[in-house]
Amino acid sequence: MLDAQGVSSLYKAQVRPVMEYVTLTWSSCPPSYLTGLERVQARAQRLVRVCTRGHAPDTFQPLQHRRDVAGLCVMFKGQALHTPHLATLRFPGPPAPTQATRSAENSEHPHTVAVPFSRTEHNIRSFLPRYSRLWNQMVLSTDLHRSTSLHIFKCRANEWLADQQ
């Protein structure tokens, strides 16, 4: 029989990679599909608690949090590292405001990106609109976009997203 560490390691090595395969395409799925994935993770968390007789803290990050970190990392690769195969993600900045309002003045930042217009709920949840908005929030509230390596960016983005929740 597996102990809590074994169940946790088994889940992280065998189950979660399958659920996280192409995580960025999962972001545009209906919430009902994502709920099914969260149920699998909740069941693994319950198994860890059973093995430790209820003394285990929540050891798994929510899958949506992990998807958001992965999406921000892709945006970082395209925007800051200028990775060649992600050249299409290098968006121009937002257009200059035509009126002098407080919200227009605050939105001017050289590292923000233009958020593609979306009409449908499905398209709003897709990669470009969702992670462009998240990237802009991050750029306006932190200096993470100035990180020198992907590893540093990923660690700090993980902390920033955890603080946002």
Side-chain angles (χ1 to χ4, degrees):
M1 184 167 167
L2 291 173
D3 62 343
Q5 186 67 25
V7 171
S8 178
S9 297
L10 181 66
Y11 170 76
K12 289 178 181 176
Q14 298 295 320
V15 179
R16 190 167 63 189
V18 173
M19 294 192 319
E20 288 185 343
Y21 181 70
V22 290
T23 59
L24 301 178
T25 57
W26 280 108
S27 64
S28 64
C29 290
S32 60
Y33 292 2
L34 298 176
T35 303
L37 292 174
E38 294 290 344
R39 267 192 250 130
V40 172
Q41 179 158 311
R43 185 168 183 190
Q45 184 70 45
R46 280 193 305 273
L47 287 172
V48 169
R49 275 196 219 114
V50 166
C51 291
T52 60
R53 295 178 177 82
H55 297 295
D58 289 339
T59 57
F60 304 138
Q61 289 178 327
L63 292 172
Q64 185 59 49
H65 176 86
R66 294 178 63 82
R67 280 189 291 273
D68 288 344
V69 170
L72 283 174
C73 286
V74 170
M75 290 294 289
F76 178 74
K77 287 178 187 178
Q79 294 298 118
L81 299 181
H82 304 291
T83 307
H85 66 280
L86 298 174
T88 57
L89 291 181
R90 283 189 225 123
F91 293 117
T98 55
Q99 299 177 1
T101 63
R102 280 182 263 161
S103 64
E105 291 168 9
N106 291 339
S107 66
E108 290 181 22
H109 193 283
H111 296 284
T112 57
V113 296
V115 178
F117 178 73
S118 302
R119 288 182 191 251
T120 64
E121 189 66 30
H122 177 75
N123 195 13
I124 288 172
R125 289 188 311 258
S126 65
F127 177 79
L128 292 178
R130 176 179 174 80
Y131 292 107
S132 297
R133 283 190 304 274
L134 195 58
W135 175 263
N136 288 344
Q137 288 174 4
M138 183 202 63
V139 164
L140 292 174
S141 65
T142 68
D143 64 344
L144 291 176
H145 57 282
R146 293 192 175 108
S147 298
T148 56
S149 73
L150 181 62
H151 178 72
I152 292 170
F153 175 81
K154 185 175 183 178
C155 293
R156 292 184 61 206
N158 198 3
E159 293 171 4
W160 177 73
L161 284 170
D163 291 342
Q164 296 294 314
Q165 295 173 348

